[in-house]
Amino acid sequence: MFIANELRKTNIAEYLLYMWQVEDTIRAFGCSIGRIRREYIDRFDYTDEQKEDEADWFGNLIRMMNQEDCREQGHLQINKVTMQTLTELHAQLLSSPKFPFYNAAYYKVLPFIVELRNHGANKDENEIETCFNALYGTMMLRLQKKEITPNTQAAVKEITTFIGMLSDYYKKDKEEGLKFEN
């Protein structure tokens, strides 16, 4: 909760990736708040009150996962809404002539998106979701200490730059509003 709250304010892309990891953490503990409390939350150097707040937050997420039928796979509606917001911002940035650097970054990363889709990525997902799935998958490979090919590393570097730019525009839009018209 504490990490998520901070990331939501500072970097929406890192927040979304973190929330996907939280969903997987919940699944790894069998959607059991007791196990999460004992085997996960108690490992942190939190006060008793912070541990209770964290347990409440995880408990709420578990309830939502049960209600939204994503105990086994998929994402919570709150995360889907965040993804949709980023996708809409992406479309606005691309359609406006006021953001040429964003357009350049997009066209630089587009071949990687096409390649990911041709190699088994879900063809129904949007381009931003494809980018996030590539970043998340690479993050999981790193956590598992598995090899990441040089081609994948190059693609992820470009995708990271692109999604970082989208995240920066998201923050700027929330703080001061972006002007999309000419």
Side-chain angles (χ1 to χ4, degrees):
M1 174 184 81
F2 304 110
I3 296 169
N5 288 342
E6 188 57 33
L7 287 175
R8 186 156 183 84
K9 289 182 233 167
T10 59
N11 188 317
I12 197 67
E14 288 181 10
Y15 164 79
L16 191 55
L17 291 169
Y18 177 76
M19 288 303 295
W20 285 6
Q21 189 176 18
V22 167
E23 290 169 341
D24 282 345
T25 299
I26 289 170
R27 291 180 187 114
F29 288 106
C31 296
S32 165
I33 190 60
R35 283 191 62 205
I36 290 170
R37 186 187 298 262
R38 283 188 316 275
E39 300 173 38
Y40 185 74
I41 297 171
D42 283 349
R43 294 178 16 196
F44 292 98
D45 188 27
Y46 291 153
T47 66
D48 288 343
E49 183 179 338
Q50 287 173 318
K51 286 180 182 181
E52 281 304 311
D53 289 344
E54 192 80 354
D56 287 347
W57 183 69
F58 272 98
N60 286 330
L61 291 174
I62 292 167
R63 272 190 293 287
M64 290 170 18
M65 288 174 78
N66 286 329
Q67 291 168 348
E68 297 173 22
D69 196 29
C70 59
R71 281 178 63 103
E72 303 295 323
Q73 64 183 16
H75 298 295
L76 287 165
Q77 192 61 37
I78 56 172
N79 296 331
K80 290 178 183 177
V81 168
T82 301
M83 179 63 71
Q84 183 60 38
T85 301
L86 288 171
T87 301
E88 290 168 4
L89 177 60
H90 165 70
Q92 288 178 298
L93 290 165
L94 279 183
S95 66
S96 173
K98 297 183 93 174
F99 304 96
F101 294 111
Y102 184 82
N103 272 274
Y106 168 69
Y107 285 107
K108 192 172 183 182
V109 84
L110 186 57
F112 299 118
I113 295 170
V114 170
E115 188 174 337
L116 286 165
R117 287 185 168 177
N118 287 339
H119 285 83
N122 182 349
K123 290 170 181 38
D124 293 333
E125 70 189 14
N126 66 61
E127 295 167 328
I128 299 304
E129 199 167 350
T130 298
C131 290
F132 272 89
N133 281 325
L135 295 174
Y136 189 74
T138 304
M139 184 175 80
M140 291 295 103
L141 288 174
R142 284 187 179 123
L143 286 172
Q144 297 166 11
K145 303 202 183 322
K146 292 188 177 173
E147 183 183 351
I148 300 167
T149 66
N151 286 347
T152 300
Q153 288 177 19
V156 166
K157 183 177 185 232
E158 295 301 328
I159 290 169
T160 299
T161 300
F162 171 66
I163 293 298
M165 189 180 287
L166 178 60
S167 184
D168 289 345
Y169 278 123
Y170 174 89
K171 185 176 181 190
K172 184 173 182 163
D173 190 39
K174 290 293 173 206
E175 291 174 353
E176 49 194 83
L178 293 174
K179 307 283 188 268
F180 293 101
E181 67 279 344
N182 291 334

